[in-house]
Amino acid sequence: MVENSLGRLWLEGHPNDELRAGWKYYLDEAEQEPEVQAQLEAIREQYKTIKPEDIKVIDPCMGSGHILVYAFDILMQIYESYGYSQRDSAKSILEHNLYGLDIDKRAYQLAYFAVMMKARQYNRRILNGETKCHLYTIQESNGINREQLKYFGVGMEESERKLALHQMEYLLDTMHDAKEFGSILIIDDLKWDLLEEFVERANLDGQVTADTVGLDITQVKLRQLVQIAAAMALKYDVVITNPPYMGSGGMGPKLADYVKKNYPDNKSDLFAVFIERCGQMTKKNCFQAMITQHAWMFLSSFRALRAKLLSNDIINMIHLGAKAFEEIGGEVVQTTSFVIRISHLKQYKAIYHRLVEYGNQIDKQSAYLEQTDVHYSKKINFSNIEDKPIVYWLTSKLINLFEYKPLSEFGDSCKGVGTGNNNKFIREWFEVSKERLFEFSPTGIWYLYKMGGEFRKWYGNNTNVVLWKNNGEEIRKQSNSYVRNSKHFFEEGLEWTKISSNKLGVRYMPPKYIFDDASCCYFCFDKSHTLYILGYLNSSLAMELLRSLNPTLNYTNGTIAKIPINAQSNFINEVSELVKSCIDISKNEWDCFEVSLDFLCHPLIKYRTIDNRITEVFELWVKFAEMNFYQLKSNEEELNRIFIEIYGLQDELTPEVEDKEVTIRKADLGRDVRSFLSYAVGCMFGRYSLDVDGLAYAGGEWDSSKYKTFIPDKDNVIPITDEEYFEDDIVGLFCAFLKKTFGEETLEENLDFIAKALGNKGNTSREVIRNYFLKDFFKDHCKVYQKRPIYWLFDSGKADGFKALVYMHRYNADTIGNLRIDYLHRMQRVYDSEIARMQETIDNSGNAREVAAATKRKEKLTKQLKETKEYDEKIAHLALARIEMDLDDGVKVNYEKVQTAGDGKKYEILAKI
């Protein structure tokens, strides 16, 4: 920033190849048209008259002074090239060139120290107190005794004293609460020499009275105030800064009011205010250099700021994007550094370095120095696009696309419901009873609800339901709720997630959904355009245009509505067929997993073969999933090719799609085997059946006729033990499930395959599977079901004394009591028996190794028995309470409810989620 503003100011009036060679970040100007070149030469005639001591540089948010220190070095080089000695240069730089402001005293102290030490590097006598330094911490007038102003201006002519007194009173009014506003405070250009004389002419030698006590202190404060105000009102040749970032919501009431009144176009963020303020502080034809968040370049809220900036000339910009600074991670802080000249040359061509795609500070720096990703653009190019975003990287062909009509002319882009209380009104569909879902029952009160979700194209993210009884009566009564665009409820449309990681994934929305304000939606006026527009929005071309309209993390309705589209294409039918195929493939993949409402059965069941070996079935699933994956990828590339052809952009874009951009999943051995075990547990509980597709039981009346091949657990309690104590524990039931699904003759081979895929500890396949159920199953279940588990884990603690799963939809008031008597107490009797058996071995065996093993196991069993007894004390309170629950309340509420006794005391009996 310093080299391209301060350095440019000097070099354009005093060309110097030696200086230029030493500034490695300096950017030579883009080649200009003859008319512009002539205008530039006229401006540079002014620069030729500038002497080093004439240049005034300020950092109005100087912090600890890094920018000023670098500016000092550049100024020193300028002075030396002009013939000054280093000693004289250092003194002159402090007295004539460098200015700095900050509201923080500690920052000022650090900056002052840094600049003075830099000066001492060149002049060892600089600290003798004779050299004035123009760095200031902003002071306010609040504590100044105004009554003492009458004691100043002694001996001045009456007219001058009266003017000075009037201006001083104005200054005291303006600088009231100045620390709240800092250098954005606007101060009129006053007669500063007159004010300084007024302050110095104070009657300090007279007899001290009650009125004159502290007059010397008042003089010091007034002197500081005049110096600071003069620095704030001065116009500078170069203004350079890294301003603070603060959204309007973080501003105090005084600052917010001041900003609204004085910077109404930029009130949304303080950094935007500083962009405007720094422009005000800069002389005509001189330079403003800043590094800020890049949001001002694109967001509609900064439209007016862009218009002001484009009335000047952007000279160059380094668009850094995210991860420009090692100490700041993540994608939220995205920056740009730019240099502006306060001039207006309509055809001026600026230089832009696009470094947003580079992943770290070192790579960005290398790309800049190697002059890669350089773009040249005239500001007039931006004027053809609504809101005038700074889309410097767009070619003329892409910019010309904005001559087409925007999407807003072909449909409504809108938000839906804000419930005001999501915990009360929104559920995952699998939390509530099936008979309460409107999808399955005309008397259902829970309706399908779109809430955005992860990045995914074409179809999916359909897991939520909303309480919409009596047309959303309860929600409408909520004081902070709103219901918008209800005319589009249950209408075919498109939806996407507002906040995304720099990617847009648009999905088809069947005509059976309500939608909220995080799931942005689009509804075509002509439904025959729906699939065509879906294909367009998921194309690489639309993504390129979106990045120009708003390359932030938010894809709002307003942004999408501005995308230009040729809706009269001859390719509508071809595109629609391809998009239909994309939707079908994505829906089929989505429905292969339990969180889909249309899940029928697990792929490893669906693709069973005659030989009954899971390894063979998995290979079939691998081929099927891979075929779909690459078919979808091929479809997307063909759609890209079509849209590139429609708009004549063959030289601008390529149709290729990377594998990582395809949003359906290939087969994955570990994930798919784990999901198979989850499906098996579902069959053990009766949620699923090998005899019917989809949900067999999820609340309501139990229908035993649905279960013939494999009979579910009768009492809704499945114990998980660390050793094989019961035939009907979870591993025993899983083996029985495998026999029914893949046959008894292949049981061991299939167990080996599953154990290898799980990768848990264990000497045998059954031990590996047992350890998975014991340690990892519930964690995986919570992850898949988004921390809303439907299989609840009763867990006694770290010793694994007692664990058992219960299916939430089959829970009743007797479940905990039955679990305690039939399983927990049974487990305690097993431990007693095993401890006795170990003791017998210890007492009677002559084998030292056998005795040692028995002793170790006895210690473990004793801990487990102790843990179960302590657990029994807790669970007894809840068993006696016979707690009922309402599935409509959802997992979070019910999970707490069943652990809370009648006296309100909570007992931790379930695993944490």
Side-chain angles (χ1 to χ4, degrees):
M1 290 192 297
V2 175
E3 290 177 5
N4 285 284
S5 54
L6 171 59
R8 183 175 302 278
L9 178 73
W10 183 255
L11 285 184
E12 290 191 354
H14 309 79
N16 186 315
D17 291 339
E18 186 177 347
L19 274 182
R20 166 67 185 88
W23 296 341
K24 69 176 183 177
Y25 296 106
Y26 186 88
L27 287 170
D28 291 320
E29 193 166 56
E31 186 176 347
Q32 307 293 336
E33 295 174 0
E35 180 185 352
V36 176
Q37 194 62 43
Q39 293 171 319
L40 288 172
E41 291 303 325
I43 291 173
R44 288 165 186 163
E45 285 297 318
Q46 303 172 32
Y47 299 161
K48 292 178 182 179
T49 63
I50 297 175
K51 299 177 181 177
E53 59 268 29
D54 297 333
I55 302 171
K56 296 203 179 298
V57 182
I58 188 170
D59 182 345
C61 317
M62 66 182 171
S64 53
H66 291 85
I67 292 175
L68 292 173
V69 168
Y70 196 82
F72 195 107
D73 283 333
I74 298 299
L75 284 164
M76 177 59 68
Q77 294 169 38
I78 290 171
Y79 269 93
E80 287 186 285
S81 72
Y82 204 70
Y84 278 75
S85 69
Q86 288 188 345
R87 180 179 172 184
D88 291 341
S89 298
K91 188 172 188 298
S92 183
I93 289 169
L94 290 180
E95 290 181 338
H96 299 113
N97 301 120
L98 282 188
Y99 290 75
L101 295 165
D102 208 286
I103 59 173
D104 184 81
K105 184 178 180 181
R106 180 60 176 161
Y108 156 75
Q109 291 170 338
L110 291 170
Y112 181 85
F113 178 79
V115 169
M116 294 304 289
M117 287 301 100
K118 174 59 69 172
R120 190 182 182 280
Q121 180 180 328
Y122 300 105
N123 185 338
R124 295 179 61 84
R125 297 183 181 179
I126 207 74
L127 300 179
N128 61 10
E130 296 178 2
T131 306
K132 187 176 182 181
C133 179
H134 301 288
L135 271 56
Y136 305 104
T137 176
I138 293 174
Q139 303 294 322
E140 51 194 20
S141 61
N142 301 34
I144 293 177
N145 186 346
R146 294 191 181 213
E147 295 297 322
Q148 293 183 338
L149 290 180
K150 59 189 176 185
Y151 296 104
F152 291 89
V154 176
M156 295 175 65
E157 291 186 12
E158 186 59 25
S159 60
E160 288 188 340
R161 184 178 182 278
K162 187 177 291 187
L163 176 60
L165 183 62
H166 175 73
Q167 291 195 352
M168 184 61 75
E169 287 174 341
Y170 158 80
L171 196 58
L172 292 177
D173 290 339
T174 304
M175 296 288 281
H176 193 271
D177 293 329
K179 282 187 174 292
E180 291 272 350
F181 317 120
S183 47
I184 68 168
L185 194 63
I186 299 172
I187 296 176
D188 293 344
D189 190 21
L190 307 177
K191 292 186 174 295
W192 304 109
D193 292 341
L194 183 66
L195 287 173
E196 286 180 0
E197 182 182 359
F198 176 79
V199 171
E200 296 307 319
R201 287 175 173 263
N203 185 8
L204 299 177
D205 298 329
Q207 184 177 355
V208 176
T209 66
D211 290 342
T212 60
V213 171
L215 189 63
D216 55 338
I217 297 174
T218 300
Q219 184 184 43
V220 170
K221 290 181 177 180
L222 290 175
R223 186 183 295 132
Q224 288 178 335
L225 212 63
V226 170
Q227 292 171 348
I228 294 166
M232 294 171 73
L234 191 63
K235 292 277 190 176
Y236 293 86
D237 301 282
V238 181
V239 180
I240 319 175
T241 196
N242 174 12
Y245 309 151
M246 181 187 291
S248 56
M251 298 179 188
K254 292 179 182 177
L255 177 59
D257 288 345
Y258 189 83
V259 166
K260 287 176 185 176
K261 180 179 178 181
N262 294 279
Y263 304 93
D265 293 337
N266 302 306
K267 60 188 177 183
S268 59
D269 202 292
L270 196 57
F271 82 80
V273 173
F274 270 101
I275 292 177
E276 182 176 349
R277 178 67 182 125
C278 288
Q280 296 170 353
M281 299 176 80
T282 309
K283 294 177 183 176
K284 185 178 180 182
N285 293 330
C286 289
F287 296 95
Q288 168 186 354
M290 303 181 76
I291 181 168
T292 69
Q293 294 250 33
H294 77 173
W296 66 267
M297 298 168 62
F298 315 105
L299 297 186
S300 58
S301 55
F302 297 107
R303 182 190 304 115
L305 173 62
R306 286 193 293 277
K308 288 181 180 178
L309 288 184
L310 293 176
S311 67
N312 297 309
D313 296 319
I314 296 175
I315 305 302
N316 51 54
M317 176 183 286
I318 308 174
H319 191 184
L320 295 161
K323 300 176 182 176
F325 305 98
E326 291 178 355
E327 62 273 19
I328 304 176
E331 298 288 334
V332 175
V333 178
Q334 303 207 43
T335 57
T336 185
S337 178
F338 54 94
V339 177
I340 293 173
R341 183 178 54 233
I342 308 301
S343 56
H344 184 45
L345 311 180
K346 287 184 178 180
Q347 298 295 327
Y348 184 84
K349 188 184 296 180
I351 302 174
Y352 298 86
H353 281 255
R354 185 168 174 79
L355 307 180
V356 295
E357 303 299 332
Y358 297 89
N360 58 63
Q361 180 177 328
I362 294 173
D363 289 348
K364 290 177 190 288
Q365 183 181 40
S366 298
Y368 175 79
L369 295 175
E370 293 167 10
Q371 297 290 294
T372 56
D373 284 300
V374 180
H375 301 262
Y376 302 90
S377 184
K378 300 176 182 178
K379 62 185 177 183
I380 197 170
N381 293 342
F382 313 142
S383 302
N384 298 327
I385 305 174
E386 185 181 356
D387 290 345
K388 299 178 175 55
I390 311 297
V391 287
Y392 58 85
W393 65 92
L394 288 191
T395 64
S396 57
K397 283 188 176 180
L398 285 168
I399 288 175
N400 289 339
L401 295 188
F402 286 92
E403 295 176 1
Y404 288 108
K405 292 180 180 179
L407 274 173
S408 59
E409 296 199 19
F410 298 93
D412 284 340
S413 183
C414 54
K415 296 180 179 181
V417 178
T419 69
N421 187 343
N422 283 358
N423 288 333
K424 180 179 180 181
F425 296 114
I426 296 175
R427 301 282 179 267
E428 300 293 329
W429 70 263
F430 44 76
E431 294 183 75
V432 301
S433 176
K434 179 180 177 180
E435 64 181 4
R436 304 282 277 173
L437 294 171
F438 184 76
E439 176 76 355
F440 293 111
S441 170
T443 60
I445 62 173
W446 295 95
Y447 285 64
L448 298 182
Y449 193 56
K450 279 288 188 178
M451 293 187 69
E454 65 184 5
F455 170 59
R456 185 179 172 90
K457 294 181 179 179
W458 310 115
Y459 186 89
N461 294 352
N462 311 327
T463 65
N464 295 109
V465 290
V466 63
L467 183 63
W468 202 249
K469 183 179 180 181
N470 296 330
N471 195 32
E473 180 181 12
E474 284 192 60
I475 290 176
R476 295 175 191 272
K477 288 179 180 177
Q478 188 81 15
S479 60
N480 56 341
S481 70
Y482 52 83
V483 177
R484 297 171 179 159
N485 299 297
S486 58
K487 66 180 180 180
H488 291 304
F489 292 174
F490 315 114
E491 180 182 339
E492 178 187 54
L494 310 176
E495 60 94 15
W496 63 93
T497 306
K498 179 172 68 175
I499 300 176
S500 180
S501 183
N502 207 26
K503 300 172 186 175
L504 176 69
V506 184
R507 297 171 288 276
Y508 175 72
M509 184 170 64
K512 54 184 179 180
Y513 283 89
I514 300 170
F515 50 96
D516 82 338
D517 60 349
S519 181
C520 302
C521 296
Y522 182 85
F523 301 93
C524 293
F525 300 142
D526 182 345
K527 295 304 179 187
S528 67
H529 286 154
T530 298
L531 298 185
Y532 178 81
I533 289 176
L534 174 56
Y536 177 59
L537 288 176
N538 277 334
S539 71
S540 57
L541 170 57
M543 195 66 240
E544 189 69 27
L545 295 173
L546 265 178
R547 288 194 185 103
S548 68
L549 291 169
N550 182 12
T552 67
L553 301 182
N554 288 0
Y555 297 123
T556 63
N557 297 97
T559 301
I560 300 297
K562 294 173 185 174
I563 298 177
I565 185 170
N566 177 3
Q568 305 303 317
S569 167
N570 295 326
F571 291 88
I572 286 181
N573 291 335
E574 184 180 352
V575 167
S576 297
E577 286 301 312
L578 279 168
V579 170
K580 187 177 184 303
S581 173
C582 292
I583 294 170
D584 290 342
I585 292 170
S586 296
K587 185 180 188 308
N588 286 337
E589 186 266 349
W590 178 260
D591 292 343
C592 283
F593 298 91
E594 290 182 28
V595 292
S596 170
L597 198 62
D598 295 323
F599 172 75
L600 299 180
C601 70
H602 195 273
L604 297 187
I605 298 295
K606 182 178 181 180
Y607 296 104
R608 277 183 295 177
T609 59
I610 296 174
D611 67 7
N612 286 330
R613 286 176 174 81
I614 295 181
T615 181
E616 301 294 335
V617 180
F618 181 73
E619 287 304 315
L620 288 175
W621 165 236
V622 167
K623 291 176 182 178
F624 177 80
E626 193 166 89
M627 178 185 71
N628 278 340
F629 183 91
Y630 287 110
Q631 182 60 59
L632 182 59
K633 179 180 178 181
S634 175
N635 287 354
E636 291 184 1
E637 290 180 336
E638 180 61 14
L639 286 166
N640 284 341
R641 187 194 64 76
I642 290 172
F643 285 112
I644 288 170
E645 181 180 340
I646 289 172
Y647 294 97
L649 298 170
Q650 290 86 346
D651 297 333
E652 309 284 333
L653 301 172
T654 59
E656 284 74 26
V657 174
E658 294 185 48
D659 282 5
K660 65 181 180 180
E661 299 299 322
V662 180
T663 57
I664 64 169
R665 295 163 284 191
K666 294 181 181 179
D668 179 276
L669 180 60
R671 183 198 69 212
D672 294 337
V673 165
R674 283 169 168 78
S675 70
F676 176 67
L677 266 64
S678 176
Y679 177 73
V681 170
C683 290
M684 295 174 202
F685 279 124
R687 179 174 179 81
Y688 306 114
S689 170
L690 297 175
D691 304 305
V692 298
D693 288 335
L695 291 175
Y697 181 80
E701 293 294 324
W702 179 269
D703 183 357
S704 58
S705 67
K706 292 181 177 180
Y707 311 98
K708 295 175 182 176
T709 304
F710 182 77
I711 308 302
D713 182 75
K714 63 180 180 180
D715 55 11
N716 189 34
V717 179
I718 301 178
I720 305 175
T721 58
D722 63 348
E723 295 188 34
E724 188 178 352
Y725 296 123
F726 317 116
E727 288 186 4
D728 63 344
D729 72 355
I730 198 164
V731 177
L733 288 174
F734 180 63
C735 289
F737 175 78
L738 275 183
K739 290 177 185 178
K740 290 293 184 182
T741 51
F742 288 92
E744 190 167 353
E745 66 279 2
T746 58
L747 175 63
E748 298 305 321
E749 184 180 344
N750 290 333
L751 286 173
D752 290 344
F753 176 81
I754 289 168
K756 186 176 180 181
L758 291 174
N760 287 65
K761 294 180 180 178
N763 296 319
T764 68
S765 295
R766 283 174 175 79
E767 283 186 18
V768 171
I769 294 169
R770 184 177 300 281
N771 282 328
Y772 172 71
F773 278 121
L774 194 71
K775 299 294 185 183
D776 298 323
F777 174 80
F778 187 71
K779 287 187 290 186
D780 286 346
H781 178 64
C782 288
K783 184 176 180 181
V784 169
Y785 279 80
Q786 302 174 59
K787 295 188 177 181
R788 302 291 192 277
I790 58 172
Y791 309 136
W792 292 359
L793 181 62
F794 285 76
D795 187 358
S796 63
K798 294 181 179 179
D800 296 330
F802 179 81
K803 288 189 177 183
L805 290 174
V806 167
Y807 179 26
M808 179 182 79
H809 289 71
R810 287 179 61 187
Y811 174 94
N812 60 45
D814 296 320
T815 298
I816 295 179
N818 292 339
L819 177 142
R820 178 182 179 236
I821 300 301
D822 296 338
Y823 291 90
L824 178 59
H825 290 174
R826 180 183 174 194
M827 197 72 239
Q828 290 172 350
R829 291 193 294 272
V830 169
Y831 288 143
D832 281 329
S833 174
E834 287 296 297
I835 289 170
R837 194 164 68 84
M838 291 303 103
Q839 186 61 50
E840 184 179 351
T841 301
I842 294 167
D843 293 341
N844 299 317
S845 176
N847 185 319
R849 182 175 294 177
E850 193 176 65
V851 170
T855 302
K856 184 177 180 180
R857 184 155 187 265
K858 179 189 172 185
E859 290 174 356
K860 176 188 173 184
L861 291 164
T862 302
K863 287 181 181 178
Q864 288 181 314
L865 179 60
K866 180 177 182 292
E867 185 179 84
T868 60
K869 289 182 176 179
E870 292 171 352
Y871 188 64
D872 191 25
E873 292 178 8
K874 293 192 290 185
I875 210 168
H877 294 280
L878 301 169
L880 290 172
R882 300 188 74 252
I883 300 165
E884 299 274 6
M885 70 178 188
D886 184 346
L887 290 175
D888 283 344
D889 291 336
V891 169
K892 278 193 169 183
V893 170
N894 285 318
Y895 212 73
E896 294 296 307
K897 187 176 182 180
V898 301
Q899 298 184 88
T900 306
D903 60 359
K905 184 176 180 180
K906 183 180 175 182
Y907 295 90
E908 302 278 356
I909 63 166
L910 295 174
K912 291 183 178 179
I913 58 175

